[in-house]
Amino acid sequence: MFVESVVRWLVWSVLLQFGLCVSAGSCPPRCVCRPEARELICSGKHLNLVPEGFPSDAKCLDLSHNKIKTVGRRQFWGLLQLQDLDLSDNLISMIEVEAFQGLQNLRTLRLKNNRLKIIPVGVFSGLSGLRFLDLSQNEILVFLDYTFKEMTSLQRLQAEENDLVFISQRAFFGLHNLQELNIDRSNLTSVPTEALSQLQSLTRLRMLRLTISTLPNNAFRRLHRLRSLHITNWPALDTVASNSLIGLNLTSLVISSCNLSAIPYPALRHLVYLRFLDLSYNPITVIQGNMLGDLLRLQELHLAGGGLLRIEPAAFRGLSYFRMLNVTSNQLSTLEESIFHSVGNLQVLRLDGNPLACDCRLLWVVRRRLRLNFDGHQPTCSSPDMVRQREFRDFSEKELPRLFTCRPARIMDRRPQEARVEEGTTVLFSCKADGDPFPTITWMSSHKNVVSPTGRIRVLPNGTLEVRFAQVQDSGTYHCLAGNAAGNDSLSVGLYVKGVPRNRTVSLFSDEGWTEPTNLQASNSSAHMAKPYPFDAKTLIIATTMGFLSFLSSVAICFVFMFFWSQSKGQIKHTATIDFVPRSSMGGGGGDGGEGGRFTMKLI
């Protein structure tokens, strides 16, 4: 009896297991099945085709690292519970339309590192529940219109390292919930603005290693939910249009490893919610003062590995939340306290890799060396010689006043300079100063305006003031201001210009040709003057050229007119021949009239 019971139990067990295998499917050859996790692992089995006979309750199917070349129509039909499908690292070059039909519960699809060149419309039909799609490291050339139109739940699309040359305007149509898009190392030469405008739920966009040279106006229009924009390794990018980022509400912006020679202030001023800004590895030489004040919420600025030479005072004025500055590996010699809105909020400072001159301008940093976080990279002095190669943490409080010192600015030549000249004369005023650090030279005009390095009245690179072709209204007192971190010095000079009578004529040429101006020293003055040119050589050359071109144009028009007149001359008749029949005489009978006649007229 006992034996019969055991045999009956074994038979029922075998039948039950056979029934389950029939209902759920068996494990394909060369695959590993994990029934408890409902996983099928067929990775690295040298499969040339997608096997058949998968259990219908499988949730995860891994077919990566095989030699599969084609995915046929409805290849995975019946796997209604499948959520994760991995076809990465195969040789797939063709996917038929409706290949994934029936996988309405699929959440993740990986097609990375295959040989896809084009994706026909309809390939992703039936994947309305897909959340993640990886198409990276293929050979895709173009995204056609409506390629992803049925993937309404897709949230993340990986499309990096393809051969993309074009993205059609409606390629992303239907991706209403896409939040992250990655495009890396493709052949795109312009921003696909129209295609991107379909992604109105996009929050993160990464575009790396492209050959685009310009960010045009409205490049990312309609992306109002975009919060993070990452642009890296665009070696040709040298222009960011003033309205290229308009309409965006970014909190993080990265434009690194590009060819920007200046911070794109006009483009950034719209980003009032920006907190993180990275412009590293661009040939930017200066951060100008009072230009970032619109970025009220900015907390971090990274500008590492460029050619940064100086940061002007008030560069971060108004940035009350600013807490991290990274300017490592640049050419900065100092970092003055006046560039910050409040140094009390500063938490992290990266200054390493710069040729720092350890003087009074860096004293504020050294005194905060225990509170500031240098991110594990201590700043090091490059000059003067007595502190060369010393790290900031090596200094004691007692030696700081002795080592971190400056010498106030001092104007070297204080002899009075006064010039009395006639209108049209060029005048030079010298202003040489000394100090440690070397002082900056600023000139104030007689109207209390700062003189710029360009224009008729300008400051030369050596600090000399040049007044070219002096006018009566230029008369007055000019002030030279020399200043550095330790102090300022000033010098005043006088210019008096006498008007030239209107009927006075000046010889333009001498017997020896064009007369160059000669420098004369005014009495009791060190200012230099030069005889004026009524007209410079450039003006004369332009006037002569324009007159010559006008003459040639008139002659050419005359010749053209004569040519067309002569061509049409042979087509005009200058004579007319008229046939006539004279009337019969009044007294004649009813006979016929006289014979007809002909005469020729000359037409004038």
Side-chain angles (χ1 to χ4, degrees), residues 415-421 427-429 476-477 492-496 520-529:
R415 290 180 297 173
Q417 300 185 58
E418 183 178 292
R420 298 180 181 272
V421 298
V427 185
L428 300 174
F429 292 105
T477 302
S492 299
V493 300
L495 175 62
Y496 305 95
L520 300 176
Q521 187 173 13
S523 58
N524 194 26
S525 170
S526 61
H528 297 281
M529 296 160 289

Side-chain angles (χ1 to χ4, degrees), residues 33 76 100 113 128 136 153 215 221 235 241 277 285 399 433 445 447 470-471 492 561:
C33 296
F76 305 97
F100 306 105
N113 194 22
S128 58
S136 60
S153 299
L215 277 185
R221 63 185 182 87
L277 177 60
T285 58
E399 59 182 343
S445 71
H447 303 291
Q471 307 294 319
S492 299
F561 177 76

Side-chain angles (χ1 to χ4, degrees), residues 15-28 33-36 38-40 52-61 76-82:
L15 291 175
L16 180 61
Q17 290 182 5
F18 176 77
L20 290 175
C21 290
V22 170
S23 62
S26 60
C27 189
C33 296
R34 298 174 181 172
E36 66 282 356
R38 292 193 285 181
E39 294 181 353
L40 282 81
E52 298 180 354
F54 298 116
S56 59
D57 63 345
K59 284 188 175 182
C60 178
L61 175 57
F76 305 97
W77 182 264
L79 301 181
L80 301 179
Q81 301 183 41
L82 192 65

Side-chain angles (χ1 to χ4, degrees), residues 320-340:
S320 56
Y321 296 100
F322 197 72
R323 62 180 181 84
M324 178 177 182
L325 175 63
N326 178 9
V327 288
T328 182
S329 301
N330 280 286
Q331 298 299 317
L332 290 173
S333 61
T334 190
L335 188 71
E336 298 188 26
E337 186 176 2
S338 60
I339 71 173
F340 295 97

Side-chain angles (χ1 to χ4, degrees), residues 219-238:
F220 306 101
R221 63 185 182 87
R222 300 178 65 185
L223 300 183
H224 305 300
R225 296 186 181 180
L226 192 65
R227 296 295 179 266
S228 175
L229 176 60
H230 196 136
I231 295 173
T232 299
N233 282 304
W234 293 18
L237 181 64
D238 55 10

